[in-house]
Amino acid sequence: QVQLVESGGGLVQAGGSLRLSCVASGRIFSTNVMGWYRQAPGKQRELVAEISSSGRTNYAESVKDRFTISRDSAKNTVYLQMNSLKPEDTAVYYCNVYFYWGTPAASWGQGTQVTVSS
């Protein structure tokens, strides 16, 4: 079982920045992929960015060149630096830890709300 605690969300104006953090605990492996997902009202949860243990990254097209994912494996922590935020980035952001690209585990944290005003 893995426990996930996200933080760092908030209300920001368009063009602003936020940095999200997620601490994972429990059954974690150094080879795990760590990822950020988001869910906007009335929409399905979608991948935002993910990072492997070697530092390889994968981003959704909509956030490329604006968001940066990073991780501190020693602390089982993953970060998401979000710059040039847009109103369409408004969503609840969740992290996840899993084995294969784009295949999040069934267990999710409580998420952190990001609201971008125009």
Side-chain angles (χ1 to χ4, degrees), residues 48 59-69 81-86:
V48 176
Y59 293 92
E61 284 294 328
S62 60
V63 306
K64 277 184 179 179
D65 301 323
R66 299 190 298 122
F67 291 9
T68 302
I69 190 171
Q81 177 66 44
M82 305 186 295
N83 299 327
S84 303
L85 282 161
K86 303 175 180 180

Side-chain angles (χ1 to χ4, degrees), residues 2 14 20 35 45 48 54 73 75 77 83 95 103 105 108 114-116:
V2 175
L20 307 184
R45 194 171 297 178
V48 176
S54 64
S73 295
K75 296 181 179 179
T77 301
N83 299 327
C95 69
T103 58
W108 298 88
V114 171
T115 303
V116 184

Side-chain angles (χ1 to χ4, degrees), residues 33-34 49-59 69 71 101:
V33 177
M34 303 184 81
E50 53 191 351
I51 183 168
S52 71
S53 57
S54 64
R56 180 183 170 191
T57 57
N58 177 41
Y59 293 92
I69 190 171
R71 66 188 284 174
W101 293 103

Side-chain angles (χ1 to χ4, degrees), residues 17 36 52 62 65 89 113:
S17 299
W36 283 98
S52 71
S62 60
D65 301 323
D89 295 319
Q113 176 72 48

Side-chain angles (χ1 to χ4, degrees), residues 7-12 18 20 39 67 80 82 85-87 89-93 111-117:
S7 62
L11 173 63
V12 64
L18 284 174
L20 307 184
Q39 187 168 21
F67 291 9
L80 187 68
M82 305 186 295
L85 282 161
K86 303 175 180 180
D89 295 319
T90 295
V92 178
Y93 284 70
T112 186
Q113 176 72 48
V114 171
T115 303
V116 184
S117 63

Side-chain angles (χ1 to χ4, degrees), residues 11-26:
L11 173 63
V12 64
Q13 287 189 332
S17 299
L18 284 174
R19 187 188 191 217
L20 307 184
S21 300
C22 171
V23 179
S25 60

Side-chain angles (χ1 to χ4, degrees), residues 2 4 24 27-29 32-35 95-99 104-105 107:
V2 175
L4 303 161
R27 195 168 173 81
I28 305 294
F29 300 93
N32 280 140
V33 177
M34 303 184 81
C95 69
N96 204 294
V97 179
Y98 42 98
F99 291 105
S107 180

